[in-house]
Amino acid sequence: MTLLSLRAGGMAVDLAPQAGGSIARFALEGVGDLLRPATDGALASDTGKDTACYPLVPFSNRIANGRLAFGDEVLRIRNNWPGVPHPMHGEGWAAAWQVVRQELDRAELLHLHEPCAGGTGWPFRYRARQTFTLNEDGLMVGLSVENLEDRSVPMGLGLHPFFVRDADTALACRLSGVWETDAEVLPIRHVPLPSGWDFSNSRRIEGLGLDHCFGGWDGKASITWPRQGIRLFLSATEAFRHLVIYVPDGQRYFCVEPVSHANGAVGQNPLAAGATLAGEVSFRLSRI
């Protein structure tokens, strides 16, 4: 596995193009890893599944039972995630991405998806791009997906970072509602935000046990590590107005995922023929 290393001041980012176009490491000198670092085993899998961060393209989260409905059509998408009975997180995380450009502090990756004849994977052609720009304050990630079909088809985007987590790590963000889920983490209904999941004031995430998609996000969030004296400001452009928050029990990471659509709702977001859905996600650091 060949990693692309970006450096700027005390910031370090290692990219793994062959492993789902993922980020293998994002660290700050004197502090350490900000995202869960990929192990050698994770990189050897040639997927981004267990890396520090990977792209969600052309959809985020689960498609219930592989049944993709849009307009008058119903398509079947194969399961692609070990241990989960529903297609999850798109195709890009399991693909090798092409290196288009690499400089000391920036890089561009490309993923071209061509459906297999008679296959049951994602049935539509698309071209996805990621750009990474590192500076002394943080990292900017640009994502886009271009519809290469001659008609409107479902397309979505997202980013799946795994932040390191201490007992006192705190999250702040403004949300208006959440999708309740069933035992298989499939959305049931959208409800107003419960007070127990209100992050408008920074609060610890330890013990929350979340795996939910939230709506009404204003594109801004902050993560604080008091022990390290560091705060990360996460911001996303208009393409990302949903936020998946995943706080698994017993793990030393958690996820705050900017996404373009609600879980299971990519079929409600057709992208016109030849059109591109694009956005940026920024990770900016400061001392506290």
Side-chain angles (χ1 to χ4, degrees):
M1 173 63 64
T2 300
L3 300 180
L4 303 185
S5 295
L6 310 183
R7 299 292 184 268
M11 293 287 183
V13 167
D14 293 330
L15 304 177
Q18 296 297 311
S22 62
I23 299 174
R25 183 170 182 251
F26 179 27
L28 174 62
E29 183 179 352
V31 172
D33 291 299
L34 304 166
L35 300 179
R36 173 192 70 179
T39 63
D40 290 342
L43 297 175
S45 73
D46 290 333
T47 75
K49 178 178 176 293
D50 295 312
T51 59
C53 178
Y54 53 83
L56 304 173
V57 61
F59 65 89
S60 163
N61 216 268
R62 296 156 176 79
I63 295 177
N65 303 307
R67 185 180 183 274
L68 176 63
F70 73 103
D72 297 328
E73 297 184 62
V74 176
L75 299 171
R76 292 289 178 179
I77 311 298
R78 70 168 182 265
N79 290 357
N80 65 345
W81 197 271
V84 178
H86 313 284
M88 192 160 75
H89 292 336
E91 302 264 346
W93 66 272
W97 291 58
Q98 176 188 352
V99 180
V100 176
R101 180 180 60 160
Q102 181 192 8
E103 300 174 25
L104 178 63
D105 58 357
R106 64 196 63 211
E108 179 178 352
L109 306 181
L110 175 70
H111 161 50
L112 177 63
H113 174 71
E114 297 281 357
C116 299
T120 55
W122 191 254
F124 307 117
R125 299 175 63 237
Y126 66 82
R127 181 185 293 115
R129 292 183 186 272
Q130 293 187 89
T131 60
F132 302 88
T133 304
L134 189 66
N135 58 42
E136 294 183 359
D137 295 324
L139 174 67
M140 176 76 76
V141 181
L143 303 95
S144 68
V145 60
E146 179 186 359
N147 178 11
L148 300 180
E149 298 289 339
D150 58 4
R151 62 181 180 127
S152 295
V153 297
M155 294 279 176
L157 277 178
L159 196 65
H160 201 314
F162 292 78
F163 295 98
V164 296
R165 165 178 157 195
D166 299 321
D168 57 355
T169 303
L171 171 67
C173 56
R174 294 189 180 276
L175 310 161
S176 65
V178 63
W179 277 264
E180 293 180 335
T181 60
D182 63 16
E184 294 186 330
V185 201
L186 297 173
I188 301 171
R189 66 183 67 85
H190 184 269
V191 299
L193 188 68
S195 60
W197 295 344
D198 183 358
F199 294 93
S200 55
N201 294 313
S202 184
R203 57 178 297 186
R204 294 183 182 183
I205 52 88
E206 189 71 15
L208 290 180
L210 284 170
D211 190 358
H212 292 74
C213 182
F214 295 81
W217 183 45
D218 63 3
K220 300 176 182 178
S222 69
I223 297 166
T224 305
W225 293 275
R227 294 184 191 178
Q228 303 288 354
I230 291 293
R231 177 172 291 125
L232 183 146
F233 294 95
L234 175 70
S235 62
T237 55
E238 193 69 29
F240 308 101
R241 282 301 174 262
H242 296 82
L243 196 66
V244 174
I245 301 177
Y246 176 42
V247 186
D249 293 331
Q251 299 293 337
R252 302 321 308 162
Y253 63 80
F254 72 108
C255 303
V256 182
E257 309 163 37
V259 297
S260 64
H261 59 274
N263 293 358
V266 67
Q268 301 172 20
N269 295 75
L271 187 63
T276 298
L277 174 64
E280 292 181 329
V281 178
S282 171
F283 303 82
R284 183 170 58 86
L285 287 160
S286 70
R287 301 281 181 174
I288 56 174

